[in-house]
Amino acid sequence: LNLKKAITFLVGIIISIGSLAIVLKDVEFKNLFEIISKLSWPLTISAFIANIIIMIISFYVRAIRWKILLGEDVFIKHKDISKISHNLSLKTLFESISLGAFATFILPFRAGEFVRPAILAKDTKVSFVKGLSSCFIERVFDLSFVLIGFALLFNDRSKLPESFSVVADLLNLILVGIFVFLFLITIYRTWFLRVASYIFSITFDRVNKKFSEIFFKITEQVIEGLTSIGSFGRFIEVSLWTVLLWFFQAIPFVITFINFEIFSNIFKPVIELLIIVALSVALPSAPGFLGTFQIGVDITLTKLNSFDPNLSFAFSILNHLNSIICILGLGFFIMIRKGLTLISLKDKNTDS
């Protein structure tokens, strides 16, 4: 397992370095510094403040969507038993999401995907397994949005790297398989649980019956998380919140264009940035999507929209730096407020 982690981390570092090398080969640093020096600092500061506000709103939208997936029948842990709440608060979910994003930017292996449900499990009665399964469903909805957008925008893929088309086609196949599996597991939930119970009983009962019970309980929690959609109405509700979330994800790109005083014909590049960057940061990388974010911006602005490579790189630096500062700042604030440390976050990821 440690060897696998080491190889995954090494691959991520190589992809990050390779991506940066590809982007930087067309960048002239003299022109880059000239572009950055011409930025209006009042506008840059205003853009930074706007990004903070948009990020907080988008995290709250994520929290609302996550609450729908988790359901209402959860409890908030409290030392005083009389103060236990029967509703999962958006504040609790917001803090878990913020700390998850924070962990993703400072720890390897996309640690935030595990830290987020681990924090939630610590603060509520939601099990880690159910929380993690619901996060997986979130990613399915996000991936669906990205791939639908990709299909609508890029009928002609001649300007895109061949690898992007291959990855998109592969993800489409995986997504179809996931939806079929989720449909079957929702319809035949009882049957899946019976099969799991039978398999665990013949596998573990002879060794230790308790193992069979433990694995069945974990399977039950996984299925509970995966079947959290439950109804067509909830599916539509989660879909609408997903669209709204991606609308807020697009706004920082608009703000960055305004920061560079580019006001005309930005709708198409913004939508393309949303889709291409989402696909590029899905690749293994160093913490914080270093390199993969830059190459996503470069492909969109330089290759697809004929922007100057220096401007594209400056755009990616400013937009990425804004995100890093906002996420790390908010994460540190919540971490200190909850009495956590960097070591405890790392331990939660390791335990998960």
Side-chain angles (χ1 to χ4, degrees):
L1 184 61
N2 288 334
L3 178 62
K4 184 180 176 181
K5 281 186 174 182
I7 292 172
T8 304
F9 181 68
L10 184 61
V11 169
I13 295 295
I14 291 170
I15 289 174
S16 285
I17 293 172
S19 299
L20 283 174
I22 291 169
V23 173
L24 288 172
K25 70 181 176 63
D26 295 322
V27 173
E28 297 176 2
F29 286 96
K30 182 181 176 182
N31 293 339
L32 174 67
F33 293 136
E34 187 178 342
I35 290 169
I36 293 174
S37 66
K38 288 180 179 177
L39 288 173
S40 164
W41 285 108
L43 192 59
T44 301
I45 293 168
S46 300
F48 174 69
I49 294 169
N51 272 320
I52 293 175
I53 295 168
I54 294 301
M55 187 193 69
I56 290 172
I57 293 172
S58 69
F59 279 8
Y60 265 108
V61 171
R62 281 190 183 278
I64 293 168
R65 185 179 68 170
W66 198 15
K67 184 174 182 177
I68 295 168
L69 289 172
L70 288 168
E72 298 289 340
D73 54 336
V74 291
F75 303 87
I76 307 299
K77 291 178 183 174
H78 199 284
K79 291 178 183 178
D80 183 353
I81 195 72
S82 65
K83 293 183 180 178
I84 289 181
S85 169
H86 289 260
N87 291 314
L88 184 59
S89 71
L90 290 178
K91 175 174 167 289
T92 302
L93 293 167
F94 176 85
E95 289 177 346
S96 299
I97 289 167
S98 299
L99 289 173
F102 175 77
T104 296
F105 271 76
I106 62 169
L107 297 175
F109 314 119
R110 304 292 168 91
E113 301 295 336
F114 300 96
V115 168
R116 177 153 70 113
I119 294 290
L120 187 68
K122 173 181 173 292
D123 292 341
T124 72
K125 293 285 186 179
V126 178
S127 71
F128 170 77
V129 175
K130 181 180 177 181
L132 186 62
S133 300
S134 64
C135 290
F136 172 76
I137 297 298
E138 280 190 341
R139 291 293 171 257
V140 170
F141 274 88
D142 288 334
L143 181 61
S144 301
F145 179 90
V146 169
L147 292 178
I148 290 170
F150 186 85
L152 293 174
L153 280 174
F154 301 108
N155 291 320
D156 177 15
R157 301 184 183 181
S158 58
K159 290 185 178 181
L160 287 172
E162 187 179 347
S163 58
F164 261 75
S165 296
V166 172
V167 169
D169 290 338
L170 180 62
L171 288 174
N172 273 315
L173 288 174
I174 293 171
L175 191 64
V176 170
I178 289 171
F179 270 115
V180 170
F181 174 72
L182 291 176
F183 175 77
L184 291 174
I185 207 172
T186 301
I187 299 297
Y188 301 107
R189 177 176 175 172
T190 304
W191 183 84
F192 271 96
L193 287 172
R194 284 177 182 169
V195 170
S197 178
Y198 175 73
I199 292 172
F200 293 143
S201 64
I202 63 174
T203 306
F204 296 110
D205 274 7
R206 293 179 183 179
V207 181
N208 190 329
K209 191 172 181 178
K210 194 169 184 180
F211 285 163
S212 176
E213 293 172 357
I214 290 169
F215 277 102
F216 179 75
K217 186 173 179 62
I218 291 172
T219 303
E220 197 173 28
Q221 290 172 352
V222 169
I223 291 176
E224 185 182 0
L226 293 178
T227 57
S228 55
I229 295 300
S231 67
F232 182 71
R234 184 174 285 188
F235 175 84
I236 295 298
E237 192 176 3
V238 173
S239 299
L240 291 174
W241 282 111
T242 300
V243 172
L244 183 62
L245 173 64
W246 282 90
F247 168 76
F248 283 112
Q249 297 279 76
I251 293 176
F253 291 127
V254 175
I255 292 171
T256 308
F257 274 118
I258 293 170
N259 202 358
F260 282 97
E261 299 184 26
I262 301 171
F263 304 103
S264 60
N265 302 320
I266 64 172
F267 179 76
K268 178 176 171 286
V270 165
I271 302 302
E272 289 174 345
L273 278 168
L274 201 61
I275 304 302
I276 296 296
V277 170
L279 286 173
S280 66
V281 299
L283 296 169
S285 68
F289 314 115
L290 183 65
T292 53
F293 181 89
Q294 279 69 36
I295 201 167
V297 173
D298 183 68
I299 289 169
T300 307
L301 297 185
T302 306
K303 305 294 188 298
L304 298 180
N305 292 281
S306 303
F307 276 62
D308 173 46
N310 301 293
L311 177 59
S312 298
F313 190 60
F315 184 102
S316 72
I317 290 173
L318 192 62
N319 191 279
H320 203 192
L321 191 60
N322 263 331
S323 297
I324 291 170
I325 293 171
C326 291
I327 287 171
L328 294 188
L330 182 62
F332 264 118
F333 173 76
I334 293 174
M335 188 175 67
I336 292 168
R337 187 177 165 279
K338 292 177 73 69
L340 298 170
T341 63
L342 291 174
I343 293 173
S344 64
L345 277 185
K346 182 176 179 295
D347 289 344
K348 285 186 184 299
N349 179 50
T350 304
D351 292 343
S352 302

